[in-house]
């Protein structure tokens, strides 16, 4: 894949763990079937309106909601406020 730019950066505090999630917009350089998954068990290709059908982790939910609504993504701090 070719990275086209940073789409969003989200911080989330799970209590015992804090994550800093960086989400990038990318372009595939080869067919999706050639992807090698290293962390996840499977990959799905979804239209924005289909994103809400999955059970997302709390750190992902703001980004998913913005993508599903066609809104620009931004950044949030671990407390969840938008920059």
């Amino acid at each position: 894949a070719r990275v086209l730019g940073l789409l969003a950066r989200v911080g989330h505090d799970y209590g015992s763990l804090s994550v800093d999630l960086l989400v990038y917009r990318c372009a595939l350089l080869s067919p999706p079937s050639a992807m090698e998954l290293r962390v996840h068990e499977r990959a799905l290709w979804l239209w924005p309106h289909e994103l809400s059908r999955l059970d997302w982790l709390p750190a992902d939910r703001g980004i998913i909601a913005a993508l599903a609504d066609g809104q620009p993504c931004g950044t949030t701090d671990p407390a969840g406020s938008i920059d």
Side-chain angles (χ1 to χ4, degrees):
R2 181 172 41 104
V3 176
L4 302 176
L6 183 65
L7 185 62
R9 183 176 184 170
V10 177
H12 188 80
D13 185 2
Y14 286 99
S16 62
L17 172 71
S18 292
V19 296
D20 188 25
L21 179 64
L22 288 92
V23 181
Y24 292 91
R25 184 174 304 276
C26 297
L28 292 178
L29 301 177
S30 51
S33 61
M35 285 189 345
E36 178 184 338
L37 300 178
R38 297 182 184 191
V39 176
H40 299 289
E41 294 176 10
R42 64 187 179 129
L44 297 174
W45 297 99
L46 302 171
W47 293 102
H49 68 274
E50 297 175 310
L51 293 171
S52 64
R53 74 180 194 188
L54 299 178
D55 185 20
W56 298 95
L57 292 173
D60 300 324
R61 291 179 185 152
I63 296 294
I64 296 304
L67 290 172
D69 291 341
Q71 299 173 14
C73 297
T75 61
T76 62
D77 66 23
S81 62
I82 297 175
D83 292 340

